[in-house]
Amino acid sequence: MENLTFTYTVPGDDFTRAGDASSKIKKNLRELGIPPAIIRAVAIAVYEGEINMVIHAKTGGDITVDVNEKQITTVLKDTGCGIPDLTLAMSEGWTTAPDEVRALGFGAGMGLPNMKKYADIFDITSEVGKGTTVTMKFNLA
Amino acid sequence: MITVNNVAELLDGKILAGECNLSEEVHSACGADMMSDVLAFVKDKAVLFTGLMNPQVIRTAEMMDIICIVFVRGKLPGEDVIELANERGVTLIATKLRMFEACGKLYAEFNSAK
């Protein structure tokens, strides 16, 4: 398989469209014939990230998906408020989501730990006031 | 084997969308209103019982390969939710049963089918 790269834009602060990008990613991976269990892992992890972007990055961001024969690499980059304490953000149950987001069924503080669980390699960098970048790799072989 | 159609009959439910999955098998179920928890804990081929009625419920099901959602307590989703479910091939069932009763009935059915 040759190297393929897709980029998807995530609008910030529009909860009704949260999941559009993940849905497209899932469809594209299915068209490439990626095994269903791996597609599911990528879709769940990317959807968690997309929800985070919509909640916390008012200016949105983008998701890049790179596929080669060995792995799928996803990079979720936003220009949001950034995360002051990454260790705290990675702990299960810790959340800063507002009540209106919790009323929609999100913001239980499981997103980042869940993304780490589904990805084979997980990396997060963040700068307060500048934004957050999450890189996840999923092994194909 | 328990199918989506068996779930609808067992709960005296009304099928609102996704009739394409009626003969599909389901392996387990989960009752939750917190989609964050669904994303973190649910296995595939599961039925999702919920009282939450927004499009993100369908999105969550889509990402997790959940083929059937049961809305409990007699609640009915809006047209946008039904439309999205049809588009994504997710079956929607509405039941008048409460969460506790609906989960309990299906749990007993799973146990007796073993």
Side-chain angles (χ1 to χ4, degrees):
Chain A
M1 190 198 293
E2 57 181 310
N3 217 60
L4 289 167
T5 304
F6 310 94
T7 302
Y8 311 81
T9 305
V10 179
D13 216 16
D14 182 0
F15 216 87
T16 56
R17 288 179 60 194
D20 273 2
S22 304
S23 182
K24 283 181 196 143
I25 290 167
K26 194 169 187 191
K27 184 166 170 275
N28 288 346
L29 294 178
R30 205 180 289 135
E31 281 164 6
L32 291 174
I34 306 292
I38 297 173
I39 295 180
R40 184 173 184 266
V42 174
I44 294 169
V46 169
Y47 181 55
E48 292 271 25
E50 189 180 354
I51 295 279
N52 275 349
M53 271 188 190
V54 173
I55 297 171
H56 300 290
K58 304 287 177 203
T59 46
D62 54 58
I63 303 174
T64 306
V65 180
D66 183 85
V67 186
N68 64 33
E69 60 192 12
K70 289 200 177 129
Q71 63 187 184
I72 299 172
T73 304
T74 62
V75 179
L76 293 83
K77 190 174 169 53
D78 70 54
T79 48
C81 53
I83 303 168
D85 186 338
L86 282 175
T87 309
L88 203 53
M90 289 304 300
S91 49
E92 288 188 6
W94 191 82
T95 179
T96 57
D99 284 349
E100 60 264 32
V101 168
R102 297 175 67 81
L104 291 167
F106 293 91
M110 297 302 291
L112 288 173
N114 203 29
M115 289 159 80
K116 189 176 180 181
K117 186 179 95 183
Y118 278 102
D120 290 300
I121 296 172
F122 176 92
D123 180 65
I124 181 166
T125 56
S126 190
E127 198 178 334
V128 173
K130 294 258 174 82
T132 301
T133 300
V134 175
T135 305
M136 293 182 286
K137 291 178 189 284
F138 303 83
N139 295 335
L140 288 172
Chain B
M1 163 169 141
I2 296 173
T3 64
V4 171
N5 197 42
N6 295 147
V7 175
E9 284 174 359
L10 184 73
L11 305 176
D12 196 17
K14 188 179 171 205
I15 294 153
L16 305 173
E19 293 193 5
C20 52
N21 296 326
L22 290 181
S23 57
E24 295 286 327
E25 186 177 6
V26 289
H27 291 164
S28 67
C30 154
D33 286 349
M34 206 66 191
M35 294 301 110
S36 293
D37 288 341
V38 175
L39 286 162
F41 296 110
V42 178
K43 307 271 185 281
D44 62 354
K45 297 252 178 190
V47 177
L48 170 62
F49 289 91
T50 189
L52 197 69
M53 307 263 138
N54 62 52
Q56 296 311 325
V57 178
I58 312 296
R59 295 277 194 215
T60 301
E62 179 192 356
M63 301 309 155
M64 303 211 69
D65 298 331
I66 289 173
I67 54 169
C68 176
I69 299 168
V70 177
F71 294 118
V72 294
R73 305 188 281 269
K75 286 188 182 179
L76 291 172
E79 276 303 316
D80 55 334
V81 172
I82 292 174
E83 199 179 309
L84 188 62
N86 275 323
E87 206 176 287
R88 307 296 151 138
V90 178
T91 304
L92 300 185
I93 297 169
T95 178
K96 291 200 168 114
L97 299 178
R98 294 176 185 194
M99 179 72 96
F100 181 68
E101 296 166 297
C103 290
K105 276 198 164 185
L106 188 58
Y107 184 81
E109 193 71 10
F110 272 124
N111 275 351
S112 65
K114 268 180 195 167

